[in-house]
Amino acid sequence: MTSRTESLAGLAADAYVYGFPLVFDVSMISAFMHKGFGSLPPTPFNRFGHSTKLATPDAHFVSVNNDTVYSIAQVDISGGPVLLHVPDTVGAYYVLQFVDVWSNNFAYLGQRATGTEAGDWLVVPPGWSGTAPDGVRGVIDAPTSVISIVGRNACDGPEDMPRVQALQQQLTLTVLDPASHRTGLPAPDPDVPEELRFFERLRVWMAGFPPSAPDQDHQERFQPLGLLEEGPSPYVNADPALVKALTEGAAAGKARVEAASNPPADGARPPGAWEMNPHLFDYNLDHYGIGTIDSPQWRITDREASYLVRAAAARAALWGNHGYEAVYAHTFTDADGKQLNGARSYSLRFEQPPPVESFWSVTMYDTPDYYLVDNPVGRYSLGDRTPGLVYGEDGSLTVVIQRERPDDREGAANWLPAPAGDFRPMIRLYTPGQSVLDGTYQLPPIVARG
């Protein structure tokens, strides 16, 4: 019995890693629809919810950005296609990122992918074989019957909001057959005990949103855990041995995801080196729509290894873009290898601006939640579009990172506020240059001052 329980626990740990992105993603979809995120209001299916301001600490979403204004829609296409209208941004940066419920990025519209002119696009469900209406620029094939459209419009501060808000009002979804769509997400059994609810959600949502055929073959191995059972939940009155295995497996799987989200320092990397992985979101192996790059360079070769990468990406940066759209870099330590903490003061010196085609920023997050950090001046990020920055005569820029406002003018102008405790800053490089993607460009380390 012990060996069987251990075997089931190991299988449950694998299932946790495999299923975490689905459970987390659908949970965030539900939260968005019922509670909203920060200034994004609760929004039903097939409508955009628009931020009325750049993100602030009340947006409790992992690694939310403070460079762009969000417009997010949860789209249900279970009953047929939805027509998306995109306005002309007159050359300004924007991206609409299409994400299925397994957290795969499967299409992009925007400055990099399709230009900035206006147009209509047809979003269609899996297996759709109809005819697109005249005048649409293209068809976006969705891998699952519910998807997220994550829109980001570059915003140069509060004074730029009227321009962005005008664009938001022109971004629309039109359901072609309103009566045929679902009204909610598949509901897990509420009587399942708390310690088994992850697996109940995974069971119900796997059935409701089947993955690609290769992934379906992989998840067949989870049959002994009850994850493939249809009808009444097997977890309401589960056998104690199964409960033990699932509980232990969930703990082990969670530990694996956390470890992958915050890997130990690589001895081959210098202390304080930024963790910058342009290929963090390369786990989508099956669906390449408009705006994606279908190339071996952007595909993880080992499917089973991709499940842990996918889980770590969901945990630390859900709904992040492929590296060719934006690259994210983070660090937990300074140049001496010590944990970053608000009890100390730091500097981050850029000898030259990072190589990007659009823009770059550095944003402050707390740990372990990776939320924006509240501060008295309301500055959550800093970058090449921040007004009033003071550059050196040689073109360099020194960012001051500390809890208290610096006394000198240059330090105050270039100040990125830190929290009292540990923190993790993130640098975003929008439409990064080739030297970022091939690894020849290295971000400077954060140096402790005094």
Side-chain angles (χ1 to χ4, degrees):
M1 178 64 72
T2 301
S3 61
R4 180 175 181 273
T5 300
E6 290 175 350
S7 176
L8 285 178
L11 191 61
D14 290 346
Y16 184 96
V17 171
Y18 171 80
F20 176 82
L22 173 66
V23 173
F24 194 35
D25 194 288
V26 177
S27 297
M28 289 298 101
I29 289 173
S30 178
F32 178 82
M33 294 174 65
H34 294 97
K35 300 178 182 178
F37 297 144
S39 69
L40 281 158
T43 309
F45 274 134
N46 300 327
R47 285 177 52 191
F48 275 98
H50 301 294
S51 288
T52 57
K53 60 182 181 179
L54 290 166
T56 55
D58 62 355
H60 287 174
F61 191 87
V62 293
S63 302
V64 65
N65 90 53
N66 185 247
D67 306 306
T68 63
V69 178
Y70 283 92
S71 294
I72 296 180
Q74 310 306 335
V75 183
D76 169 41
I77 42 179
S78 60
V82 171
L83 191 66
L84 167 67
H85 177 73
V86 179
D88 187 350
T89 67
V90 197
Y93 179 87
Y94 88 94
V95 61
L96 292 179
Q97 170 194 1
F98 294 74
V99 192
D100 72 15
V101 294
W102 291 86
S103 78
N104 295 303
N105 300 327
F106 65 90
Y108 295 92
L109 305 179
Q111 185 187 63
R112 175 197 61 83
T114 55
T116 62
E117 63 271 22
D120 293 323
W121 304 83
L122 193 67
V123 186
V124 304
W128 183 78
S129 58
T131 301
D134 292 338
V136 300
R137 288 187 60 188
V139 174
I140 298 172
D141 294 292
T144 53
S145 60
V146 166
I147 63 168
S148 301
I149 302 178
V150 184
R152 302 172 176 90
N153 275 287
C155 181
D156 293 339
E159 68 283 352
D160 195 29
M161 276 303 302
R163 177 191 66 84
V164 173
Q165 288 173 330
L167 293 171
Q168 289 175 327
Q169 297 311 307
Q170 300 173 66
L171 182 64
T172 60
L173 289 164
T174 302
V175 178
L176 301 186
D177 185 6
S180 63
H181 292 250
R182 81 177 96 220
T183 57
L185 295 164
D189 191 322
D191 294 329
V192 170
E194 176 64 32
E195 64 269 22
L196 300 183
R197 286 182 184 172
F198 173 89
F199 292 101
E200 171 65 2
R201 294 185 182 105
L202 180 55
R203 180 187 75 90
V204 171
W205 293 337
M206 279 199 318
F209 306 111
S212 64
D215 284 357
Q216 288 186 56
D217 291 341
H218 175 84
Q219 69 188 31
E220 286 294 324
R221 60 196 291 262
F222 302 135
Q223 178 72 53
L225 303 174
L227 285 171
L228 303 184
E229 291 192 25
E230 300 178 359
S233 174
Y235 306 126
V236 173
N237 294 299
D239 181 90
L242 179 60
V243 173
K244 184 174 186 295
L246 291 174
T247 304
E248 292 177 355
K254 182 177 181 180
R256 285 166 57 186
V257 173
E258 291 295 327
S261 304
N262 181 16
D266 184 349
R269 293 194 298 126
W274 293 77
E275 176 99 15
M276 182 167 62
N277 181 5
H279 300 286
L280 181 61
F281 297 93
D282 291 2
Y283 48 78
N284 174 15
L285 305 178
D286 304 297
H287 305 286
Y288 299 93
I290 292 168
T292 61
I293 298 178
D294 183 1
S295 163
Q297 178 189 0
W298 299 103
R299 188 183 300 119
I300 294 174
T301 56
D302 185 332
R303 182 174 292 270
E304 290 200 23
S306 75
Y307 299 140
L308 182 58
V309 176
R310 181 177 68 178
R315 168 66 183 88
L318 184 67
W319 299 346
N321 293 286
H322 275 97
Y324 44 77
E325 185 69 40
V327 166
Y328 314 92
H330 68 260
T331 185
F332 293 88
T333 60
D334 64 18
D336 296 322
K338 297 179 180 178
Q339 170 66 51
L340 297 168
N341 186 279
R344 305 189 71 186
S345 175
Y346 305 91
S347 63
L348 171 62
R349 179 181 173 84
F350 294 94
E351 299 295 341
Q352 296 295 328
V356 295
E357 294 181 18
S358 296
F359 56 95
W360 66 269
S361 69
V362 53
T363 307
M364 178 62 67
Y365 298 98
D366 66 11
T367 64
D369 295 318
Y370 309 140
Y371 293 162
L372 293 176
V373 172
D374 200 6
N375 64 81
V377 296
R379 176 179 278 185
Y380 312 109
S381 65
L382 180 151
D384 57 0
R385 299 171 304 140
T386 302
L389 292 179
V390 178
Y391 290 81
E393 293 183 0
D394 59 357
S396 64
L397 174 68
T398 300
V399 179
V400 177
I401 303 173
Q402 61 186 47
R403 184 182 180 188
E404 302 296 335
R405 181 188 181 95
D407 295 329
D408 62 297
R409 185 184 70 85
E410 179 177 342
N414 297 358
W415 177 40
L416 181 63
D422 293 346
F423 60 86
R424 181 207 70 167
M426 177 179 283
I427 291 178
R428 288 180 171 84
L429 308 174
Y430 290 84
T431 322
Q434 181 57 37
S435 62
V436 174
L437 299 180
D438 64 22
T440 55
Y441 172 75
Q442 296 296 315
L443 290 164
I446 294 174
V447 178
R449 293 155 56 100

